[in-house]
Amino acid sequence: MIDTQQLSLAGQKTIHFCVATDLLFQQKEELPLHPNAMRFTAFNHQGSPLQSEVYYSIGGGFIVREADFGRSSTQEKAIPYAFTSAQTLFELCRQYQLSIAELMWANEQALMPSRDLAADLLKIANIMKDCVEKGCHAEGELPGGLHVRRRAPALYQQLKKREVSESSTLNHSFLWPTVYAMAVSEENAAGGRIVTAPTNGAAGIIPAVLTYFRRFHQDTTPQLIIDFLLTAGAIALLYKMNASISGAEVGCQGEVGVACSMAAGALTAVMGGSLEQIENAAEMAMEHHLGMTCDPVAGLVQIPCIERNGVAAEKAIKLAYLALLEDGKNKRVSLDKVIETMWATGSDMMSLYKETSLGGLAKSLAVNSPAC
Ligand code: SF4
């Protein structure tokens, strides 16, 4: 689009479109319903507006038209194990002797009985695996004008070399999840195919931790991969229902922080952790992202997002192992409490630090938007 100055409208018609003059970032304007908003206006040849529509990106890949904001997009359906808090989730698991994954499975089946849930989840896992693989081998520069070089392929080669040559006392294998996550984040930044989990900006963490699990655990089975995704999904729901998974609403704690929490809890579950240990891993992963701002340089999901995904993936794995060393009982901070705190912290955060690219690193490294 930048090169051709053409915009295809649903493949039906092509119009002239210049990014510099037709795509305007109103960084000081905030629309009332959500900070992440986009107004589309169609003009006729005389420059008079024909139609205008506002859309909000509310996180997790959800896009809502202004007229539909706040309305449920689906009819409420009965599910066997309804929960809105971590405490209720864990109580239901205890009461019915279910794992989190089993409970989620039952709920998903009730929502869509005709769906082949196992096949769908394994398909998602394979898309995640493919984007790790692709990102580890795709060289070049990321689009957008920041001239960010893709680093994952060279890092991948470095790690492979060192794996062969290093002694067991000095090795870099702990960096694998970091490189996997960077690979996926680079794919995202390049417009490649990724899984929004929970958001595109934080899409590297779940695939990286899952790839780590598939590669370094001998006994990985399709069922464990399914359990990993269902457990991660349950944790994501808790954040979605009680806080936010949108950087524009609560800063990066709502994206990278949530992904880290999902991954830490899910990995703990598939490594045999108890409910208390799963809660503890998910809680710690958010606790140490509280207050993390969203400040993408030039509005591109590259700096600091790509490295940030890498660091969070490694952190999720460490916290899962840490949680498994303790029984997780009598912890002072519950998962519900940290979610509540994340929401309160995000609400207190200045809008400069919530995806506006006006504060933090985006301000320090301010560059002009690329022209067409
Ligand atoms: S800094 Fe902002 S855009 Fe980048 S990953 Fe975090 S929330 Fe997403």
Side-chain angles (χ1 to χ4, degrees):
M1 182 174 73
I2 293 174
D3 295 337
T4 60
Q5 298 195 23
Q6 302 265 300
L7 183 66
S8 168
L9 303 178
Q12 304 291 314
K13 191 171 168 50
T14 301
I15 57 169
H16 176 76
F17 191 87
C18 171
V19 171
T21 55
D22 295 333
L23 181 63
L24 304 176
F25 291 94
Q26 311 284 18
Q27 293 184 314
K28 299 212 163 88
E29 184 187 349
E30 195 172 303
L31 295 185
L33 298 181
H34 193 280
N36 221 354
M38 197 162 186
R39 180 185 291 118
F40 291 82
T41 307
F43 297 90
N44 64 14
H45 285 299
Q46 287 72 44
S48 305
L50 294 169
Q51 194 169 353
S52 192
E53 209 50 272
V54 173
Y55 290 86
Y56 293 97
S57 170
I58 58 169
F62 295 98
I63 306 288
V64 184
R65 248 167 32 131
E66 189 163 55
D68 299 326
F69 199 93
R71 285 195 207 147
S72 175
S73 57
T74 52
Q75 281 193 322
E76 297 281 324
K77 283 194 183 166
I79 49 172
Y81 306 108
F83 63 91
T84 53
S85 67
Q87 192 186 342
T88 317
L89 169 65
F90 299 138
E91 276 171 10
L92 285 168
C93 288
R94 286 190 190 100
Q95 186 181 347
Y96 294 98
Q97 301 275 300
L98 295 170
S99 68
I100 296 173
E102 286 166 340
L103 182 147
M104 287 293 287
W105 177 274
N107 283 352
E108 289 293 320
Q109 289 287 12
L111 286 171
M112 281 191 251
S114 58
R115 179 183 187 188
D116 187 343
L117 185 54
D120 284 355
L121 288 167
L122 290 173
K123 187 172 165 201
I124 288 170
N126 281 334
I127 295 170
M128 289 182 173
K129 187 164 160 258
D130 289 348
C131 63
V132 169
E133 185 67 20
K134 201 158 171 229
C136 284
H137 294 93
E139 316 240 2
E141 193 176 275
L142 294 171
L146 272 185
H147 304 294
V148 171
R149 189 178 46 86
R150 294 178 76 134
R151 292 156 65 199
L155 289 168
Y156 176 84
Q157 293 302 336
Q158 282 282 344
L159 282 187
K160 259 180 57 173
K161 258 191 243 159
R162 283 163 196 256
E163 211 169 41
V164 177
S165 64
E166 282 173 349
S167 69
S168 58
T169 49
L170 175 76
N171 74 64
H172 287 69
S173 59
F174 67 92
L175 284 174
W176 276 117
T178 306
V179 174
Y180 295 149
M182 289 174 70
V184 177
S185 294
E186 288 176 357
E187 275 299 287
N188 174 55
R193 189 183 198 203
I194 52 111
V195 178
T196 302
T199 64
N200 283 16
I205 296 153
I206 299 286
V209 175
L210 188 55
T211 303
Y212 165 85
F213 179 63
R214 291 174 96 150
R215 182 174 165 195
F216 292 101
H217 282 256
Q218 306 282 323
D219 51 356
T220 311
T221 60
Q223 185 59 52
L224 284 175
I225 293 168
I226 289 169
D227 290 352
F228 179 99
L229 291 176
L230 287 169
T231 310
I235 295 167
L237 274 178
L238 294 170
Y239 285 100
K240 180 101 174 83
M241 289 188 284
N242 298 294
S244 169
I245 54 168
S246 164
E249 273 188 333
V250 292
C252 200
Q253 54 173 359
E255 296 205 11
V256 165
V258 171
C260 188
S261 182
M262 291 163 64
L267 184 62
T268 308
V270 294
M271 291 199 300
S274 65
L275 290 173
E276 290 85 358
Q277 289 168 324
I278 296 166
E279 174 176 19
N280 195 19
E283 183 283 313
M284 286 190 287
M286 173 50 71
E287 186 174 327
H288 303 292
H289 282 98
L290 285 177
M292 184 184 266
T293 58
C294 168
D295 51 356
V297 174
L300 296 165
V301 188
Q302 297 178 9
I303 305 171
C305 320
I306 295 168
E307 261 178 28
R308 195 169 275 183
N309 273 259
V311 172
E314 195 222 329
K315 196 190 279 189
I317 293 167
K318 278 191 184 154
L319 292 175
Y321 278 109
L322 185 63
L324 287 168
L325 289 178
E326 300 177 300
D327 65 12
K329 292 179 180 155
N330 304 317
K331 296 298 289 188
R332 293 294 299 272
V333 187
S334 66
L335 182 53
D336 283 330
K337 188 51 78 182
V338 88
I339 294 172
E340 182 190 319
T341 308
M342 183 272 255
W343 175 242
T345 307
S347 304
D348 288 342
M349 201 181 270
M350 290 168 73
S351 64
L352 283 182
Y353 301 113
K354 294 196 274 195
E355 217 171 276
T356 54
S357 293
L358 294 173
L361 267 182
K363 189 175 175 194
S364 310
L365 301 182
V367 286
N368 293 326
S369 294
C372 66

